[in-house]
Structures are given as structure tokens and as C-alpha cells.
Amino acid sequence: MKEQLISIINWIKEDWRSHPLRFFVETACWFDSLACALIVNLTVPNLPYILLYPMWISGTIAYAWCAYSRKSFGMVITFIMLATIDSLGFIKYISQ
């Protein structure tokens, strides 16, 4: 178990050294996703979409950039698709 933990810590350090900006953005996106999940959980059934949609969309766009910087085609397409779908949903929401 200790060896696995050390391996994970070394992997995190290497990820930081290889691209500090991406590491920071991915960490910020992780907190963004966590915040969105907590807000949803705490406000059901009256979700504050005017707050949640921009948070989620900006996070998915940032994740798409991170995936691009990692050269992960599948993740780039997934995050662009999610950002597009949610942007259309947000436009629909605010135009009601």
C-alpha cells in the first residue's frame, strides 16, 4: 500500500513538473465540478441554473484545453460536446 501511495505522489509531482499550468487548470476544474455537484445536491429541486450553467460550461471548456494539451482526442471531443450541449441548454434557459 505504501509503495502505491508513493507511486501516486510521484505521478502527481511529475504531472506538475511536466506542465504546471495544465496541472493548475485541472485542479481548478476539479474544484469547479465538486462545487457544481454540491450546489445541485444542496438546492434540489430548485437549482440555480443561472449560476450552475456558466460554472459547468467554463469547466468543460477548460477540461477540453487540458485534454488537448495531453493529446487526448477522445477527451477533447467529449468535453467540446458537453460544452456545446450545455451552452445550447443555457441559451434555451435564459431565452424563456
Side-chain angles (χ1 to χ4, degrees):
M1 178 71 174
K2 183 179 177 183
E3 292 172 9
Q4 290 174 329
L5 185 58
I6 291 170
S7 177
I8 291 169
I9 291 169
N10 288 335
W11 176 75
I12 292 168
K13 288 177 183 178
E14 178 56 34
D15 196 37
W16 165 259
R17 280 191 288 269
S18 70
H19 205 302
L21 178 60
R22 180 181 60 217
F23 185 90
F24 173 78
V25 172
E26 286 178 334
T27 303
C29 288
W30 180 78
F31 281 110
D32 178 69
S33 296
L34 179 62
C36 285
L38 288 171
I39 291 168
V40 166
N41 184 274
L42 295 172
T43 60
V44 165
N46 301 313
L47 302 176
Y49 290 111
I50 202 76
L51 171 69
L52 288 171
Y53 262 127
M55 283 178 67
W56 181 257
I57 293 165
S58 62
T60 56
I61 292 168
Y63 267 136
W65 173 82
C66 292
Y68 176 79
S69 74
R70 289 188 181 280
K71 300 182 182 354
S72 177
F73 175 75
M75 285 179 58
V76 169
I77 296 303
T78 299
F79 286 119
I80 289 173
M81 177 189 66
L82 289 172
T84 301
I85 291 168
D86 288 323
S87 294
L88 293 172
F90 186 52
I91 291 167
K92 184 178 175 181
Y93 176 75
I94 60 175
S95 64
Q96 290 182 357

